[in-house]
Amino acid sequence: SLPADPIDSTRSDGKLGRVLAGTISEGHVAECPICMEGLCLRPCAVFVRGARRTCPHYIHEDCAEMLENARSTVDRESGRGLMCPVCRTDSAATRLMPRIEDNPRAWFAAADAAGDGRLSRREVELALVSQFPLNYAELSAS
């Protein structure tokens, strides 16, 4: 079953809601590398060391908590041992990805994987597909 639609499907003639529902049901959304479910279905997190992101990847917040809880006490205290499941980059922690509609400035800062105060097209695409049921292949091809 689909979560509450993040975009009001009652706008215009409801076509947008049907397109988004089809995107999810057909499996065209970005997936969490831990649970393989659509990223947009639950809150997501990013990997960090201090205030900076360590890689461009996203996972579900609850999957991130599972990874953090699985670390040994020694690794947790040393700030090591939390690796991105996609690129294996070592991180100290994960941080919740803010929703763009709740806090645009915090969303921008979290989406800025390079930490350079700008967003590349890829950074924007990855952040958007983590929160909305968008077809990443079509988005990146356009």
Side-chain angles (χ1 to χ4, degrees):
S1 96
L2 296 176
D5 196 346
I7 299 176
D8 183 2
S9 62
T10 62
R11 282 188 272 178
S12 70
D13 62 1
K15 285 183 185 175
L16 180 59
R18 288 192 299 276
V19 168
L20 295 177
T23 298
I24 293 174
S25 65
E26 293 169 13
H28 296 297
V29 295
E31 296 177 342
C32 173
I34 302 293
C35 68
M36 306 308 286
E37 292 181 10
L39 280 173
C40 63
L41 299 177
R42 299 197 308 271
C44 290
V46 295
F47 292 92
V48 297
R49 180 171 301 287
R52 292 190 50 118
R53 287 196 44 193
T54 56
C55 73
H57 303 109
Y58 294 82
I59 64 173
H60 286 135
E61 179 186 30
D62 55 333
C63 293
E65 289 174 11
M66 181 185 67
L67 286 179
E68 289 194 48
N69 291 337
R71 285 195 301 175
S72 71
T73 303
V74 173
D75 284 339
R76 199 173 296 118
E77 289 173 357
S78 68
R80 293 191 332 234
L82 182 62
M83 286 194 264
C84 170
V86 177
C87 65
R88 310 298 290 165
T89 299
D90 191 50
S91 302
T94 59
R95 181 175 56 214
L96 178 66
M97 177 67 179
R99 297 205 46 88
I100 192 170
E101 63 269 25
D102 295 338
N103 190 338
R105 289 185 191 275
W107 179 90
F108 181 97
D112 182 14
D116 60 5
R118 299 177 298 186
L119 293 181
S120 69
R121 178 183 171 119
R122 182 166 187 264
E123 288 171 326
V124 171
E125 290 170 352
L126 291 172
L128 289 175
V129 299
S130 78
Q131 295 187 342
F132 298 100
L134 302 170
N135 183 321
Y136 181 72
E138 288 182 20
L139 181 64
S140 62
S142 61

